[in-house]
């Protein structure tokens, strides 16, 4: 017995079959049939953003914090094009999303109809895959496939473009087969070859100066991957560093934690990577912000690269042992085999002595500027005040993002949401909305800059509508801080267009949306201000006035090698005093070019 | 990456789901990632029109060609990517239609050379021929070069279709 259903009803039916109970979106002409079906359906909660871009970032935050795919509905034309930035963001950070876009009716496609855009063409290269569903009979199975693609292998966004007449068509509904695959050639490799696992363990056990370099893949792989990483680190005693996207997979409170690596990485992480004799890349992809100058990246290290995406391997850095597989599964296999075969690590105490020397540099120390709040101090205070609550923290993009990575200690996966690959200003605030909706009992905070926050400031209404108790902590330095920093350090102080002119009164703005808000202006107000923010129920915005010209350091200037860091001590009056490369004791004096 | 690599020409054979936009997807991936396409042919190759085979001739450093293979392989509609050049002996053929205009000795010479190259005359007027020539790219190029002297006015080429030698099928 077949039921007759409209395309729109099939969308909701299939979403529920896929376990979806929450979607983000914004209605419009070409998705009216879906919104009409939603109106009559109690099974799915819809969060109305105030712009499609906000909806997609919220879905990203939801996905990243819960491990479940984010689902978005937007209309055709401008609805879809507004969604593109978030889709591209999810592509670069491997965030599972399924985005439904409305489309003009099939007979109007290609006629420059009202609100028509070539959504499939526009999103082709910023999605893992996309579909234009022309036949309502294909609809249900396509949705099943989209969820499979979005969440399996290397996760990513999938777009389903739905012409309006496909949504209104009434057809005999046949439940899709969840195990049927539309693309028979798509078979991501999850389990690695045991021979490769053995080779990797042999290399690790023999290494004198090993480093684990972990990335967002460990978090995408799920909580078991973080568990396996901790166990592997425990068994081997190897120091661990991570990319921005991987923060939280390994506890920042661990003695083995080196801090983040790369352009704004710690002194010890970058030197350890450079001087290592073995780098084990776990779910990370040798991004240019990590490698810095490729020619001088970890010149003397053998390299193992574990990644589920074969095309990430040998793309930028040539590796000695590629392992294609899910990083969680690979690390679990490593742990099992390590125990089974009673592997013993070489004595690496000399390596730790060296690392402690680098740590002694205390590269994250900062000096106070007058009677101003140092942004680094603000983040540290925020961390001290909230760490007992295990908060979920999102950031926008820029100095405050890097400071959060440096000064906020993340001990658990899925608790740090940030735009790493695309570097999207305007990501942080909407993403915490999604995180809060998905984690109603968690403390959800955004650490923002005053410039980034304004990029999706309209979402304050969304927060107000759903009474979400998010906390927005703006480090207000009246500059696009990272742009200003680069201009000062690299463009001879020509601060072209980087001053935040005509700022709103953020406190008054927040109050206009029915939020609570407060301003912190002096160091003496910092701790009380944070306390007030945390104790005030509902959404709270904090406008924290911080030192205008603080720089985010260490910094590897573009084009420099990973150890050529500018440190706080290298700077006076916002000028770099010296920029010289100091080779460490254990490495050869000149970086050799290889791999 | 490793220095000392030299640019190589490779022929890739790719089987894909024959879905709408698949050509744009693949050609677009090559252009967005900055890979070369020297020639690309595509046609469905199964009775139910479900699967298409693309033959792509490309050039690049070996590690870049390796990347192309993996980038193709990760597109969900792609079934299989075979680097025929890396796999070993294979045959490559293309077909060209060549219009030659002329009278007198040139015309006779063109016809004589066509015979040597096993090119068929598929259209003839008093002042022109269209030749159909099939073979390797080198053979087609050579024939074109000769016709260039004898009144060549128009060329249409199909690009390479390629297949590995021996009994194994991909």
């Amino acid at each position: 017995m077949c039921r007759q259903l409209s395309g729109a009803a099939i969308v909701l039916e299939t979403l529920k079959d896929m376990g979806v109970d929450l979607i983000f979106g914004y209605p419009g002409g070409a998705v009216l049939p879906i919104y009409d079906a939603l109106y009559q359906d109690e099974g799915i909660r819809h969060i109305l953003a105030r712009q499609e871009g906000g909806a997609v970032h919220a879905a990203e935050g939801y996905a990243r914090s819960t491990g479940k795919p984010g689902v978005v509905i937007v209309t055709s034309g401008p609805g879809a094009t507004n969604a593109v930035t978030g889709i591209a963001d999810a592509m670069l950070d491997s965030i599972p999303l399924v985005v439904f876009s409305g489309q003009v009716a099939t007979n109007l496609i290609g006629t420059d109809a009202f609100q028509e855009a070539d959504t499939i063409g526009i999103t082709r290269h910023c999605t893992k895959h996309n579909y234009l569903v022309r036949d309502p009979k294909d609809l249900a199975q396509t949705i099943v496939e989209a969820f499979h693609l979005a969440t399996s292998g290397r996760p990513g966004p999938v777009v389903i473009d739905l012409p309006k007449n496909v949504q209104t068509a009434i057809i005999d509904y046949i439940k899709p087969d969840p195990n049927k695959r539309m693309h028979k050639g798509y078979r991501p490799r999850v389990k690695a070859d045991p021979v490769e696992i053995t080779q990797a363990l042999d290399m690790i056990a023999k290494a004198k100066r090993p480093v684990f370099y972990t990335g967002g893949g460990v978090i995408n792989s799920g909580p078991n991957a973080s568990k396996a990483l901790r166990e592997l680190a425990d068994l081997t005693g190897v120091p661990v560093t991570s990319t921005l996207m991987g923060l939280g997979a390994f506890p920042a409170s661990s003695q083995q934690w080196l801090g983040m690596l790369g352009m704004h990485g710690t002194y010890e992480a970058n030197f350890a990577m450079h001087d290592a004799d073995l780098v084990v890349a776990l779910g990370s992809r040798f991004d240019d912000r990590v490698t810095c100058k490729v020619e001088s990246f970890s010149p003397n290290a053998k390299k193992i690269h574990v990644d589920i995406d074969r095309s990430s391997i040998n793309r930028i850095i040539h590796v000695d042992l590629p392992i294609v597989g899910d990083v969680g599964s690979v690390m679990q296999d490593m742990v099992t085999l390590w125990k089974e075969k009673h592997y013993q690590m070489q004595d690496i105490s000399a390596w730790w002595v060296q690392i402690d020397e680098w740590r002694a540099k205390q590269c994250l120390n900062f000096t106070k500027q007058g009677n101003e709040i140092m942004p680094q101090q603000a983040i540290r205070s925020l961390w001290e005040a909230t760490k007992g609550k295990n908060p979920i923290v999102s950031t926008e993009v820029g100095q405050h993002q890097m400071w959060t990575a440096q000064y906020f200690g993340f001990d658990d996966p899925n608790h740090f949401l940030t735009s790493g690959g695309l570097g999207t200003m305007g990501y942080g605030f909407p993403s915490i909305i999604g995180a809060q909706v998905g984690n109603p009992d968690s403390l959800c905070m955004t650490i923002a800059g005053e410039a980034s926050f304004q990029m999706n400031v309209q979402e304050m209404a969304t927060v107000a509508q759903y009474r979400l108790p998010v906390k927005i902590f703006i480090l207000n330095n009246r500059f696009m801080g990272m742009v200003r920093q680069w201009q000062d350090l690299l463009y001879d102080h020509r601060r072209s267009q980087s001053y935040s002119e005509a700022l709103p009164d953020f406190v008054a703005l927040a109050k206009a949306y029915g939020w609570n808000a407060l301003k912190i202006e002096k160091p003496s107000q910092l701790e009380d201000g944070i306390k007030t923010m945390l104790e005030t129920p509902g959404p709270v915005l904090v406008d924290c006035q911080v030192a205008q010209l603080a720089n985010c350091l260490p910094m590897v200037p573009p084009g420099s090698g990973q150890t050529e860091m500018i440190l706080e001590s290298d700077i006076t009056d916002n000028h770099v005093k010296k920029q010289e490369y100091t080779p460490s004791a254990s490495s050869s004096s000149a970086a050799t070019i290889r791999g | 990456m490793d220095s000392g690599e030299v640019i190589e020409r490779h022929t890739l054979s790719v089987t894909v789901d024959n879905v709408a936009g698949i050509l744009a997807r693949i050609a677009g991936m090559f252009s967005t990632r900055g890979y070369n396409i020297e020639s690309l042919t595509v046609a469905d190759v199964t009775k139910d029109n479900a699967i298409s085979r693309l033959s792509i001739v490309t050039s690049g450093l070996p590690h870049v060609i390796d990347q192309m293979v993996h980038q193709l392989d990760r597109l969900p509609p792609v079934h299989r990517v075979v680097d025929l050049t890396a796999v070993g002996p294979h045959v490559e053929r293309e077909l060209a239609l060549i219009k030659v205009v002329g009278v007198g000795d040139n015309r006779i010479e063109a016809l004589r050379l066509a015979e040597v190259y096993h090119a068929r005359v598929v259209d003839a007027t008093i002042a022109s021929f269209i030749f159909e020539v099939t073979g390797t790219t080198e053979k087609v190029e050579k024939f074109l070069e000769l016709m260039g002297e004898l009144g060549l006015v128009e060329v249409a080429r199909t690009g390479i279709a390629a297949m590995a030698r021996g009994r194994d099928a991909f």
Side-chain angles (χ1 to χ4, degrees):
Chain A
M1 224 345 239
C2 284
R3 272 190 299 160
Q4 295 248 306
L5 285 184
S6 70
I10 291 174
V11 169
L12 299 187
E13 191 74 20
T14 315
L15 284 178
K16 283 184 279 185
D17 285 347
M18 303 309 296
V20 175
D21 54 9
L22 182 76
I23 55 182
F24 300 87
Y26 202 101
V31 283
L32 282 174
I34 296 179
Y35 275 86
D36 193 48
L38 206 53
Y39 189 80
Q40 303 168 44
D41 195 309
E42 305 257 295
I44 294 183
R45 184 178 182 207
H46 178 275
I47 301 293
L48 175 69
R50 293 302 184 270
Q51 205 252 26
E52 290 84 353
V56 183
H57 292 317
E60 286 187 276
Y62 174 82
R64 183 86 175 155
S65 62
T66 63
K68 293 189 272 189
V71 182
V72 184
I73 299 184
V74 297
T75 192
S76 64
T81 55
N82 277 342
V84 168
T85 301
I87 294 169
D89 191 272
M91 184 68 178
L92 278 188
D93 284 344
S94 308
I95 308 296
L97 293 185
V98 176
V99 180
F100 293 89
S101 54
Q103 184 53 277
V104 300
T106 45
N107 64 318
L108 290 176
I109 290 177
T111 65
D112 294 342
F114 178 65
Q115 293 193 328
E116 181 185 1
D118 174 16
T119 304
I120 292 299
I122 290 168
T123 62
R124 186 169 285 137
H125 300 295
C126 60
T127 51
K128 185 166 171 184
H129 200 56
N130 60 17
Y131 297 94
L132 171 64
V133 181
R134 286 174 173 275
D135 186 341
K137 288 202 284 296
D138 298 336
L139 182 53
Q141 200 66 54
T142 303
I143 296 170
V144 170
E145 188 73 11
F147 275 87
H148 175 62
L149 290 184
T151 54
S152 63
R154 180 175 176 177
V158 178
V159 165
I160 302 180
D161 205 23
L162 284 178
K164 196 169 181 182
N165 57 330
V166 173
Q167 300 168 39
T168 51
I170 307 280
I171 61 160
D172 288 339
Y173 171 66
I174 301 161
K175 229 181 197 355
D177 178 355
N179 299 314
K180 190 182 155 196
R181 296 280 80 93
M182 280 164 67
H183 305 294
K184 295 189 175 59
Y186 175 78
R187 287 180 306 266
R189 181 167 148 183
V190 173
K191 202 128 175 82
D193 187 338
V195 176
E196 294 166 344
I197 305 279
T198 307
Q199 281 177 303
L201 293 187
D202 290 346
M203 287 166 80
I204 293 169
K206 266 192 278 179
K208 290 196 177 79
R209 301 187 305 278
V211 181
F212 290 162
Y213 144 54
T214 67
V218 181
I219 290 169
N220 281 337
S221 177
N224 283 338
S226 296
K227 233 178 94 201
L229 170 63
R230 288 156 198 231
E231 214 177 338
L232 189 64
D234 207 36
L235 286 171
T236 58
V238 171
V240 181
T241 180
S242 165
T243 68
L244 181 69
M245 293 308 293
L247 295 178
F250 190 76
S253 53
S254 163
Q255 277 302 308
Q256 279 166 262
W257 174 242
L258 300 178
M260 182 174 74
L261 82 170
M263 183 175 268
H264 292 288
T266 63
Y267 191 80
E268 50 270 33
N270 282 347
F271 265 96
M273 284 293 283
H274 183 269
D275 283 13
D277 67 350
L278 177 70
V279 166
V280 186
L282 299 161
S284 48
R285 60 181 173 91
F286 298 95
D287 176 85
D288 57 273
R289 286 297 190 265
V290 159
T291 59
C292 304
K293 189 169 150 196
V294 166
E295 290 77 7
S296 49
F297 175 75
S298 308
N300 303 313
K302 292 255 185 229
K303 296 174 190 85
I304 301 172
H305 189 179
V306 183
D307 205 301
I308 199 155
D309 178 1
R310 178 64 183 83
S311 74
S312 283
I313 295 173
N314 287 338
R315 175 157 58 199
I316 294 153
I317 298 292
H318 178 79
V319 298
D320 303 276
L321 177 62
I323 301 180
V324 180
D326 172 72
V327 69
S329 152
V330 170
M331 288 190 297
Q332 276 159 8
D333 288 351
M334 284 178 167
V335 166
T336 310
L337 199 69
W338 185 280
K339 289 179 183 163
E340 255 176 43
K341 303 266 163 170
H342 306 289
Y343 272 95
Q344 286 293 324
M345 238 1 234
Q346 278 232 40
D347 177 15
I348 59 166
S349 55
W351 181 224
W352 277 110
V353 169
Q354 172 65 74
I355 287 170
D356 285 339
E357 260 175 53
W358 290 322
R359 278 175 168 167
K361 193 98 181 172
Q362 305 245 334
C363 69
L364 294 179
N365 278 358
F366 52 90
T367 38
K368 287 202 65 175
Q369 294 176 1
N371 191 31
E372 294 187 289
I373 299 172
M374 295 310 289
Q376 299 95 323
Q377 181 58 51
I379 290 173
R380 196 153 267 179
S381 300
L382 205 52
W383 173 58
E384 293 288 351
T386 59
K387 62 183 173 188
K389 302 181 196 320
N390 201 8
I392 298 174
V393 177
S394 79
T395 70
E396 301 285 351
V397 169
Q399 284 185 317
H400 69 275
Q401 177 189 32
M402 292 298 115
W403 281 321
T404 304
Q406 292 171 333
Y407 295 94
F408 204 101
F410 292 97
D411 278 356
D412 290 295
N414 305 95
H415 281 67
F416 180 49
L417 322 173
T418 197
S419 170
L422 198 64
T424 310
M425 290 171 72
Y427 163 91
F429 174 35
S431 73
I432 206 69
I433 293 175
Q436 185 77 76
V437 175
N439 304 270
D441 301 324
S442 295
L443 169 61
C444 291
M445 301 193 293
T446 297
I447 298 173
E450 84 288 345
S452 284
F453 179 65
Q454 290 185 89
M455 283 216 181
N456 269 319
V457 70
Q458 77 285 346
E459 299 305 327
M460 293 182 88
T462 310
V463 168
Q465 178 179 347
Y466 299 99
R467 298 183 181 83
L468 302 172
V470 298
K471 314 295 174 199
I472 309 299
F473 195 89
I474 300 175
L475 294 174
N476 186 347
N477 59 7
R478 286 84 74 205
F479 272 113
M480 294 161 214
M482 193 61 94
V483 175
R484 196 274 312 150
Q485 174 173 338
W486 280 49
Q487 287 172 337
D488 277 5
L489 300 182
L490 307 167
Y491 292 85
D492 201 20
H493 288 72
R494 290 185 296 278
R495 293 173 182 168
S496 181
Q497 303 295 325
S498 54
Y499 182 64
S500 289
E501 189 68 65
L503 281 176
D505 176 342
F506 285 109
V507 171
L509 180 68
K511 288 187 171 159
Y513 278 104
W515 290 36
N516 281 302
L518 63 128
K519 200 166 183 170
I520 300 177
E521 290 171 288
K522 290 192 293 248
S524 57
Q525 301 168 331
L526 186 59
E527 282 183 17
D528 281 350
I530 290 172
K531 198 160 168 264
T532 308
M533 173 186 91
L534 294 171
E535 285 170 356
T536 308
V540 184
L541 179 144
V542 178
D543 178 1
C544 182
Q545 303 278 318
V546 295
Q548 273 202 293
L549 301 179
N551 289 315
C552 181
L553 301 167
M555 173 186 181
V556 179
S560 302
Q562 65 193 149
T563 54
E564 299 173 88
M565 283 170 271
I566 303 173
L567 301 175
E568 170 98 7
S569 51
D570 299 328
I571 293 190
T572 32
D573 296 335
N574 257 304
H575 277 101
V576 182
K577 274 190 307 207
K578 62 167 174 103
Q579 244 176 280
E580 60 186 7
Y581 170 49
T582 341
S584 69
S586 61
S587 73
S588 56
S589 60
T592 47
I593 296 173
R594 74 175 288 274
Chain B
M1 298 297 290
D2 294 347
S3 51
E5 285 187 334
V6 289
I7 288 183
E8 294 177 2
R9 188 166 173 275
H10 281 233
T11 304
L12 311 179
S13 180
V14 187
T15 45
V16 298
D17 291 324
N18 183 20
V19 290
I22 186 66
L23 188 58
R25 208 172 284 282
I26 287 177
M29 188 278 285
F30 270 72
S31 70
T32 52
R33 298 207 178 258
Y35 305 149
N36 288 319
I37 297 182
E38 289 185 7
S39 100
L40 188 156
T41 64
V42 57
D44 60 77
V45 290
T46 51
K47 267 190 191 154
D48 58 359
N49 299 337
I51 293 179
S52 289
R53 181 188 287 261
L54 292 93
S55 300
I56 302 172
V57 180
T58 183
S59 58
L61 296 171
H63 82 265
V64 176
I65 290 174
D66 196 48
Q67 273 293 305
M68 289 177 201
V69 170
H70 299 304
Q71 289 290 353
L72 282 168
D73 205 33
R74 76 174 188 151
L75 298 175
V78 168
H79 285 238
R80 184 136 195 221
V81 186
V82 179
D83 181 345
L84 290 173
T85 308
V87 164
H90 62 280
V91 287
E92 295 186 3
R93 290 293 179 271
E94 69 170 309
L95 180 146
L97 295 174
I98 297 155
K99 186 176 283 184
V100 178
V101 173
V103 290
D105 285 353
N106 276 3
R107 185 172 161 81
I108 295 162
E109 188 59 27
L111 204 54
R112 197 179 354 238
L113 283 167
E115 213 169 289
V116 174
Y117 278 79
H118 301 293
R120 291 171 54 204
V121 176
V122 293
D123 177 69
T125 68
I126 289 171
S128 70
F129 288 118
I130 297 176
F131 296 115
E132 172 202 306
V133 64
T134 317
T136 60
T137 299
E138 293 70 30
K139 175 183 164 184
V140 172
E141 297 276 347
K142 189 73 198 155
F143 186 63
L144 279 171
E145 195 186 312
L146 292 168
M147 290 302 114
E149 309 276 315
L150 299 170
L152 179 139
V153 293
E154 199 175 346
V155 186
R157 294 168 72 163
T158 58
I160 290 285
M163 198 172 276
R165 289 184 186 275
R167 57 171 297 170
D168 292 339
F170 293 114

